[in-house]
């Protein structure tokens, strides 16, 4: 398991001074960022400066400044957790997962959608707590009236424990977190089809025949890859429904609770 802690650093820094737990060893990784690049799909002259760190094979970008802005980006999955003030490099992400309604986590939402429209990118898919759906819809109605633009997007409300298929090999599940206002975290799962035990060793032609005849020859295996808590107390650790959160390859938490988590997981 890898525990990655998002440290609140200076406004010009991205995920940095993190602490990783892997096979019983602790390491410290530091990365810094200069000005934000224009999304690769928009500009052919993207800066060559490295703006991300790599954790468990995933390039990770973002910013976390306590009380001001949180946005964590997983580049190869084209998704972001929370939007902060909408850092430029978050604009190219097609999926956005909002953990709660505090402005340091959701304040840049209209700008995120508007900028994607400006660059003629496809409307993003935005996941929010089910109880925030009406409020977020009203937020966009106000901005449409002021901006006189469409602000096209797909809004997906999720209840705790509800799942949503992002693509055939990737899904998300919302989990309960414990904050001063309604909140939830998200677990991203890889999804694979594995041949059932009883069919292992059969010739390919026989497996094909069984499949064409309607026999279910595979099992669906879901593996928790990434978990993001947003703001929460440590009570989420004790929640029996959150077991997959602690088994994810990468767990992103606020640094305030990071030291406590590290001690509990050691």
């Amino acid at each position: 398991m890898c525990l990655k802690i998002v440290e609140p650093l200076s406004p010009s820094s991205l995920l940095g001074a993190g602490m990783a737990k892997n096979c019983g060893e602790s390491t410290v990784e530091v990365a810094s960022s200069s000005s934000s690049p224009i999304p690769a799909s928009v500009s052919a002259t993207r800066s060559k400066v490295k703006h991300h760190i790599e954790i468990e094979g995933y390039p990770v970008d973002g910013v976390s400044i306590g009380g001001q802005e949180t946005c964590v980006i997983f580049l190869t999955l084209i998704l972001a957790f929370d939007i902060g003030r909408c850092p430029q490099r978050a604009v190219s992400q097609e999926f956005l997962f909002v953990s709660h309604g505090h402005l340091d986590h959701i304040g840049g939402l209209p700008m995120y959608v508007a900028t994607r429209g400006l660059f003629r990118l496809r409307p993003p898919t935005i996941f929010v707590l089910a109880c925030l759906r009406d409020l977020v819809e009203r937020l966009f109605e106000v901005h449409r009236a002021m901006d006189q633009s469409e602000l096209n997007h797909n809004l997906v409300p999720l209840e705790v424990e509800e799942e949503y298929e992002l693509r055939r090999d990737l899904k998300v599940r919302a989990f309960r977190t414990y904050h001063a206002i309604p909140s939830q975290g998200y677990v991203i799962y890889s999804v694979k089809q594995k041949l059932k035990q009883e069919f292992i060793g059969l010739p390919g032609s026989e497996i094909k025949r069984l499949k064409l005849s309607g026999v279910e020859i595979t099992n669906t295996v879901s593996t928790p890859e990434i978990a993001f808590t947003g703001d929460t107390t440590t009570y989420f650790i004790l929640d029996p429904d959150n077991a997959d959160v602690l088994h994810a390859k990468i767990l992103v938490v606020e640094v305030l609770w990071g030291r406590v988590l590290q001690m509990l997981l050691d």
Side-chain angles (χ1 to χ4, degrees):
M1 173 183 178
C2 178
L3 171 66
K4 196 68 185 181
I5 297 168
V6 182
E7 301 263 12
L9 298 177
S10 64
S12 63
S13 65
L14 52 84
L15 300 183
M19 182 166 57
K21 180 183 177 186
N22 190 3
C23 301
E25 297 182 359
S26 293
T27 60
V28 176
E29 301 176 40
V30 180
S32 62
S33 165
S34 57
S35 58
S36 302
I38 294 175
S41 56
V42 179
S43 173
T45 59
R46 183 170 182 168
S47 170
K48 295 183 179 180
V49 177
K50 183 177 180 180
H51 290 276
H52 65 265
I53 56 178
E54 188 166 306
I55 311 170
E56 294 289 315
Y58 288 99
V60 187
D61 199 345
V63 59
S64 181
I65 307 171
Q68 298 182 49
E69 181 176 24
T70 294
C71 179
V72 180
I73 303 164
F74 283 81
L75 299 165
T76 54
L77 299 181
I78 323 177
L79 62 82
F81 296 104
D82 288 336
I83 193 59
R85 301 176 184 177
C86 187
Q88 182 69 52
R89 51 199 184 274
V91 172
S92 57
Q93 311 313 308
E94 295 184 359
F95 299 103
L96 173 64
F97 302 90
V98 176
S99 66
H100 64 289
H102 279 154
L103 289 182
D104 55 327
H105 292 255
I106 198 175
L109 184 57
M111 191 63 183
Y112 164 68
V113 174
T115 308
R116 284 187 64 86
L118 176 67
F119 291 146
R120 298 185 179 181
L121 302 174
R122 72 176 66 182
T125 300
I126 302 166
F127 297 84
V128 298
L129 292 78
C131 65
L132 292 184
R133 175 178 57 185
D134 291 345
L135 293 173
V136 171
E137 287 178 345
R138 284 163 53 190
L139 174 68
F140 278 108
E141 287 174 5
V142 169
H143 281 279
R144 286 190 185 102
M146 291 192 299
D147 193 56
Q148 296 293 297
S149 60
E150 295 181 349
L151 297 178
N152 292 326
H153 64 279
N154 303 309
L155 188 63
V156 180
L158 282 186
E159 299 278 2
V160 167
E161 299 300 324
E162 189 175 357
E163 295 185 354
Y164 185 95
E165 184 180 283
L166 302 175
R167 61 190 197 211
R168 290 186 62 183
D169 63 345
L170 206 67
K171 69 178 181 179
V172 63
R173 179 179 66 85
F175 66 90
R176 189 179 308 282
T177 56
Y178 299 82
H179 193 34
I181 64 173
S183 64
Q184 65 189 24
Y186 300 92
V187 183
I188 304 295
Y189 294 84
S190 61
V191 181
K192 296 180 180 179
Q193 301 297 322
K194 290 194 174 182
L195 191 65
K196 290 183 177 180
Q197 186 67 34
E198 60 264 35
F199 301 128
I200 293 177
L202 290 180
S205 57
E206 178 64 13
I207 291 175
K208 182 178 180 180
R209 185 191 67 79
L210 289 168
K211 184 177 181 180
L212 291 175
S213 67
V215 175
E216 189 66 48
I217 62 172
T218 60
N219 288 319
T220 301
V221 178
S222 300
T223 304
E225 298 284 331
I226 301 160
F228 176 83
T229 67
D231 290 348
T232 181
T233 69
T234 53
Y235 286 118
F236 84 91
I237 302 171
L238 305 177
D239 192 323
D241 293 328
N242 289 349
D244 280 355
V245 177
L246 301 181
H247 287 99
K249 293 179 182 178
I250 302 172
L251 171 58
V252 183
V253 300
E254 296 289 344
V255 72
L256 178 62
W257 303 112
R259 309 306 178 193
V260 177
L261 275 171
Q262 188 72 46
M263 289 187 292
L264 289 172
L265 293 170
D266 279 341

